[in-house]
Amino acid sequence: QVQLVESGGGLVQAGDSLTLTCAASERPFSPYRMGWFRQAPGKDREFVASIEWFSGGIEYAESVKGRFTISRDNAKNTMTLQMNSLKPEDTAVYYCAVRSSRRRDYEGWGQGTQVTVSS
């Protein structure tokens, strides 16, 4: 099973930016889609953004549209999430995961990276 490692979280103020990175250890690496999710304390995990690995097709949650940008580097097997105009409600543990095919659900969850946005 592919192993994913998230990095880039931290403590920032409202309005600041952060860039999260998800690195995949599997070689070769050719998933169908990769995604970012987040889980705030006391809440369910929620979808943030996803990207189709080869076509680059992108989806965003409404709450992050216009502020977050997802991208991937096929050569480096990495996915990034550029987060701008951060809000306190963006505070959560952010996870990345992968869908190996259209028929498969997300899997290979990393350990997560904490993002804390102070007001």
Side-chain angles (χ1 to χ4, degrees):
Q1 188 178 15
V2 64
Q3 290 186 331
L4 304 174
V5 178
E6 305 94 339
S7 62
L11 172 62
V12 297
Q13 294 185 333
D16 286 350
S17 299
L18 274 177
T19 300
L20 305 183
T21 299
C22 174
S25 61
E26 188 177 73
R27 296 287 190 279
F29 185 63
S30 57
Y32 159 62
R33 198 169 193 92
M34 291 190 73
W36 286 100
F37 295 77
R38 65 188 182 186
Q39 186 167 21
K43 295 187 177 181
D44 293 334
R45 186 168 58 199
E46 66 175 1
F47 169 78
V48 176
S50 68
I51 186 165
E52 195 164 323
W53 193 249
F54 290 106
S55 75
I58 290 173
E59 296 177 348
Y60 292 103
E62 286 296 326
S63 59
V64 306
K65 277 184 180 178
R67 300 188 299 122
F68 290 10
T69 302
I70 189 172
S71 62
R72 89 279 192 230
D73 186 325
N74 299 64
K76 296 181 179 179
N77 290 353
T78 58
M79 174 180 66
T80 61
L81 185 68
Q82 174 67 42
M83 306 186 294
N84 297 327
S85 302
L86 283 162
K87 304 175 181 180
E89 51 263 44
D90 294 318
T91 295
V93 177
Y94 284 70
Y95 300 90
C96 63
V98 61
R99 289 178 66 185
S100 57
S101 71
R102 289 178 180 268
R103 294 187 300 273
R104 299 291 296 268
D105 203 348
Y106 282 99
E107 59 187 354
W109 299 91
Q111 82 288 350
T113 186
Q114 176 70 49
V115 172
T116 304
V117 185
S118 63
S119 58

